[in-house]
Amino acid sequence: WQDWRQDSMDYYTAWVHQIKTPISVMRMLLQAEDTDEHRALLDELFRMEVYVEMALCYARLDYGGSDFVFRRCSLDEILRGVIHKYAPQFVRKRITLTFVPTGRVILTDEKWLAFVVGQLFSNALKYMEKGSVTVTADERDILCIADTGIGIAPEDLPRVFEKGFTGYNGRLEQKSTGLGLYLCRRTMDKLGGRIWAESTVGEGTRMYLDLHRETLKPE
């Protein structure tokens, strides 16, 4: 059983690294000429990368529990890295991104926390045609990513972190895999934190990450 788990992890890891090469080549070819068609294709290529990253994280959460390394990190540096990665998507959709520097130092795994924040950005972008996203954190190290999108139906809100749950918005737009927020919850469990959501239909959604965990010891 252990050998099978390791073989599966090795396969997923190898597949992800192999698929990244043609994706990188396609990006270079598309960036060679700035046209509306190429920009649209670059957007789709970015979505492919997000799904590839989800596949690897899904495998690592199930088969590679020791992949987490905790140390004290600058929350602002982690956030700026994710913002830089997603900035072209915000620009292309003309969605305003407001980041209020936090000045916080937290105990976490920066790679996995960046994955969670990236998934939340991806969700916000997926269900917004205009508006804004605001990133803030308070003195309790609770990070808030708030958007002015279409919001989540009240009956769906308690289930958005369940595996495979797409909800009304996901079924209507046919954009949801039902895995993104599930992986966020699984990751936050591993990080020793928690995630929850508040939302008003037609006004937007606020995703909260509780990052304050003094009981963890850095490696």
Side-chain angles (χ1 to χ4, degrees), residues 93-162:
K93 294 197 72 171
R94 293 185 173 87
I95 292 173
T96 302
L97 175 62
T98 301
F99 167 51
V100 180
T102 69
R104 310 299 296 179
V105 175
I106 59 171
L107 189 56
T108 191
D109 181 303
E110 55 189 316
K111 177 183 68 177
W112 282 98
L113 180 56
F115 167 73
V116 173
V117 174
Q119 287 296 311
L120 298 183
F121 279 178
S122 180
N123 265 20
L125 287 163
K126 192 182 299 182
Y127 297 109
M128 292 179 68
E129 294 302 326
K130 60 181 180 179
S132 64
V133 173
T134 303
V135 183
T136 57
D138 64 18
E139 66 280 356
R140 298 171 297 164
D141 291 336
I142 294 179
L143 179 68
C144 177
I145 298 175
D147 68 58
T148 59
I150 59 178
I152 301 169
E155 62 270 23
D156 289 344
L157 198 57
R159 300 188 59 194
V160 293
F161 298 104
E162 292 180 9

Side-chain angles (χ1 to χ4, degrees), residues 2 16 36 54 63 67 76-77 81 83 87 89 140 164 166 181 215:
Q2 189 64 34
V16 166
D36 290 342
M54 285 175 61
Y63 308 124
D67 192 50
D76 289 346
E77 288 185 11
I83 289 169
Q89 306 302 308
R140 298 171 297 164
T166 57
L181 290 179
T215 55

